[in-house]
Amino acid sequence: MTNPLHNNKTAGRPRRVFGPVPSRRLGLSLGLDLVPAKTCTLDCLYCEIGRTTVKTLERRSWNMADELEAELAGLLPECEARLDYVTLAGSGEPTLNLELGSIIERVKRLTEVPLAVLTNGTLLSRPDVRRDLAGADLVIPSLDSALEDTFRRLNRPAAGLDLSEYIEGLIAFRQGYKGRVWLEILLVSGVNDGPEELAALKAVVDRLEPDLVQLNTVYRPPAYDGAKALSAEALAGAADFFGPLAEPVTAFKRGRNAEQTGETEKDILALLARRPCTAQDVSHALGLDLTRVLPLLRGLTRSGRVLAETHNRETFYRRV
């Protein structure tokens, strides 16, 4: 069977649909990349994708809706039964794409797999963004600090992005949206994990009333060296502080995926081009036994096509 990571129809140009990839929050997800790497409203210290090269608040169209729809239609027959979510995310902030609403409608016509949108939430103060997101089943916005100085130090926003408008936009979206909202808070040791920081965030959470609060920390190698992870104990303690709706994001949880999908080096390279992964991540994403994955990763590392690096005492592999 052809691996979903392969798509001959898009040879010669970057694929917009990637995966399935393992997500610690969403199980096995097929991702749709809505913006060029790396276009975002923020340049967060901890970002696993890397440093922001185009930092902007301007929404624009990259004329990719037709291309995304065609790629997704071609890939779904091979992996749809294993998917937990189709996820709009990718190489930056997806709400910057003016075609967002149309893309959501097209995805919903193609599959009944739940549709999730991963967004930093910074543009939810805009009514057009809130309208575009209305058709999603799940929206996961983020908020890492409710204090101005920390927000600017940690998230490094684009010029003109106001924290109070950002927070009010989250509240306005929650009040009008009929789907599920999971708020992600990523805690960086020594930056936004102190008592004052957590209390300010909890005040926003109490107003927002999300369905779930997911507390995350620096798991994969970050964009900037100063971003350090909380211990599992500290993350669990923060979850207790936020109350019964909060949970720490820990290891990848296997969803419905169980089927093997291939074991070529191209599959692994395509996966690692999107994000750094552990050998276990690769095993889950490609449906391969770990004893088959490790030799392939070692060979790719020796050839110089993959870089192995240690972060939080785990080995991550990234495409060179």
Side-chain angles (χ1 to χ4, degrees):
M1 183 171 71
T2 304
N3 192 284
L5 289 168
H6 294 161
N7 187 352
N8 295 330
K9 294 181 181 179
T10 59
R13 68 178 186 270
R15 286 189 295 267
R16 298 296 183 188
V17 182
F18 58 96
V21 295
S23 167
R24 291 180 301 134
R25 293 178 288 176
L26 296 174
L28 199 69
S29 170
L30 192 64
L32 276 65
D33 200 346
L34 267 60
V35 295
K38 180 180 179 260
T39 305
C40 195
T41 59
L42 305 174
D43 183 22
C44 300
L45 297 180
Y46 57 76
C47 186
E48 65 186 35
I49 300 173
R51 300 182 182 188
T52 297
T53 52
V54 180
K55 188 159 57 173
T56 180
L57 300 179
E58 181 183 358
R59 301 188 80 198
R60 56 164 292 188
S61 173
W62 284 274
N63 299 312
M64 64 174 67
D66 291 343
E67 180 183 335
L68 276 168
E69 183 177 14
E71 285 190 38
L72 183 62
L75 292 173
L76 279 171
E78 302 178 47
C79 62
E80 186 171 16
R82 301 186 300 118
L83 295 176
D84 297 294
Y85 284 93
V86 173
T87 305
L88 306 189
S91 303
E93 174 47 45
T95 61
L96 285 168
N97 193 322
L98 279 170
E99 293 183 289
L100 175 63
S102 173
I103 291 167
I104 289 175
E105 290 176 1
R106 294 171 189 235
V107 173
K108 299 296 287 184
R109 286 199 299 264
L110 287 173
T111 180
E112 294 183 0
V113 175
L115 174 65
V117 180
L118 302 183
T119 170
N120 60 30
T122 51
L123 298 183
L124 291 177
S125 59
R126 296 183 52 154
D128 58 329
V129 173
R130 298 198 296 270
R131 284 195 301 269
D132 285 350
L133 287 170
D137 299 296
L138 169 65
V139 175
I140 307 180
S142 62
L143 180 69
D144 301 324
S145 179
L147 301 180
E148 186 73 31
D149 289 346
T150 307
F151 169 60
R152 302 208 166 271
R153 175 187 171 196
L154 178 59
N155 300 119
R156 299 160 57 92
L161 205 165
D162 182 81
L163 178 59
S164 61
E165 290 182 5
Y166 173 9
I167 292 172
E168 293 307 316
L170 287 170
I171 304 298
F173 175 71
R174 175 58 168 155
Q175 290 173 345
Y177 178 59
K178 296 181 180 179
R180 290 170 294 150
V181 174
W182 298 353
L183 180 70
E184 181 188 20
I185 298 172
L186 194 142
L187 298 176
V188 177
S189 181
V191 179
N192 64 335
D193 59 332
E196 183 181 6
E197 292 284 348
L198 296 181
L201 281 167
K202 190 174 186 306
V204 176
V205 169
D206 290 343
R207 291 183 61 202
L208 183 64
E209 297 183 333
D211 297 290
L212 185 68
V213 177
Q214 293 190 317
L215 293 173
N216 210 340
T217 191
V218 186
Y219 176 66
R220 293 183 171 89
Y224 296 90
D225 291 337
K228 304 297 182 184
L230 268 67
S231 67
E233 294 76 14
L235 201 62
D240 289 341
F241 175 79
F242 280 98
L245 292 180
E247 66 173 21
V249 178
T250 54
F252 168 70
K253 296 178 180 178
R254 183 183 291 267
R256 291 176 287 175
N257 60 310
E259 180 183 336
Q260 288 200 345
T261 58
E263 56 187 59
T264 67
E265 291 180 347
K266 287 184 180 179
D267 299 336
I268 295 175
L269 289 171
L271 179 63
L272 299 184
R274 293 292 178 178
R275 65 167 77 178
C277 291
T278 65
Q280 194 72 45
D281 290 339
V282 175
S283 171
H284 286 315
L286 301 184
L288 296 173
D289 190 272
L290 194 60
T291 59
R292 305 303 302 273
V293 168
L294 287 169
L296 290 169
L297 288 171
R298 285 195 290 266
L300 289 168
T301 303
R302 285 195 299 268
S303 70
R305 287 177 288 174
V306 166
L307 176 67
E309 54 188 338
T310 300
H311 180 72
N312 288 344
R313 290 181 286 186
E314 287 199 74
T315 300
F316 286 83
Y317 300 87
R318 69 164 73 239
R319 178 84 176 265
V320 175

